[in-house]
Amino acid sequence: MRVAERRGASRTARGVRIVALALAGVGLVGVTAPTAGAFGTGPGGATAVGEEQPGSGPEAAGRGPHRGGVDARALNEALEGVIEVGGASSSLARVTEYGRTVWKGAEGVGDFSTGAEPSASGRFRIASVTKTFVATVVLQLVGEGRFGLDDSVESLLPGAVPGGGSITVRQLLNHTSGLFDYTADPAVDVDNATWLREGRWRSWTPQQLLAVANSHPPYFAPGTGWHYANTNYLLAGMIVERVTGHDWRREVERRIIDRLGLSGTSMPAHATGIRGPHAHTYLDLPGGPVDVTEMEPSEMDAAGVGISTTGDLGTFLRALLGGRLLPAPLLAEMLTVAPLSGDAQYGLGIGRLTTPCGEVWGNNGSTGRGHNSALYGTLDGRRLVAVSTNGYRNTGQGWKASQKLLATAFCGRQPATATAAPTG
């Protein structure tokens, strides 16, 4: 059954709902600029944030130094727009202020076969938001003196890529290496029918993916251009393993996931499913919807294999921007935008997005098979927004609808036409 048909039936019983927690007067400060964050070539003592309680105190009560506030009705409408206008089957979103949830929502259908609603606290594939986790670990290792940002790839991974002596770690993290993006190779970049038949369960090793990239010439000489390439983060993961002696996943778990208590976050190697509550993801094919929630994730590796929740992502970004994961000099390096990145405004695993009321920092991602995510926050980490969207119908308005949701989260009710555009 198509989404529109099932939605019509479920709306009668209010089966498709939005859960909203709104506090009067929790306002916005400056926000950020668009990044090219999709996996592939697409357009994200700590306390875990599970089911946080609404904020309290003078800021939450509207007596703090903010301007504006959370507009729950506008957020509800914007989230509905991701379904109705953007063509998604389901979408989750959460807005936090000072680390506490001030609004969260779940819209659409979580399971076509049962009509079940999606959970606002469900898990989802975060795609290229994984890169922000990996970049953080790389910078932590730099801070420990294990290697430098301007050390060459050749010195850390001898013989890994042609011309590796001229490519630096920094250039991997900000996509100025010039290396070919392995996901653009015909062996990886296949149509949905071929992927369902041959690629969905295919297991890849990082070495195999790197060989695919190395079979192509570089886009440009290192440091002379900008091109989003998942190969860069494939290599970043390999560097972490080479330097620490541990798989990059273990280092992300030890240094970030366990440290922050992110109980809904994982970095699977070959596990095909998503553990815990989650909305299903579908491809809209001529024969009807096909459930593609389960897939072999190794093709994404350190470029986009992560699974998380909106609560966990908010906790992570708040800790990162708040200086709890990196010392100030390295956080400043992370937030230094590569001049050649143009509209992408990309730093080291994180990007700057311009909203109607200011700039925010974060990342976004897509697996290319319907799983989409976005994570952005104000530079001071005060207001954060995390979104998961399971794309379904290609209306051509998906990114615009998502941009409107982000802008509404930071700036309040938006006009009907969004102005921001995807990059990458």
Side-chain angles (χ1 to χ4, degrees), residues 291-376:
D291 190 327
V292 293
T293 307
E294 295 192 11
M295 58 188 292
E296 223 291 351
S298 57
E299 174 189 309
M300 298 180 283
D301 199 70
V305 81
I307 292 172
S308 192
T309 67
T310 56
D312 276 7
L313 290 181
T315 297
F316 164 61
L317 188 59
R318 179 171 168 79
L320 177 62
L321 296 178
R324 292 175 53 202
L325 296 176
L326 293 172
L330 287 173
L331 181 58
E333 293 277 13
M334 189 180 215
L335 299 175
T336 298
V337 168
L340 294 169
S341 66
D343 290 343
Q345 293 290 288
Y346 205 87
L348 305 182
I350 197 168
R352 190 168 60 202
L353 175 70
T354 299
T355 75
C357 55
E359 296 180 341
V360 292
W361 288 87
N363 213 338
N364 63 76
S366 171
T367 64
R369 308 295 174 188
H371 312 85
N372 306 286
S373 64
L375 173 66
Y376 289 97

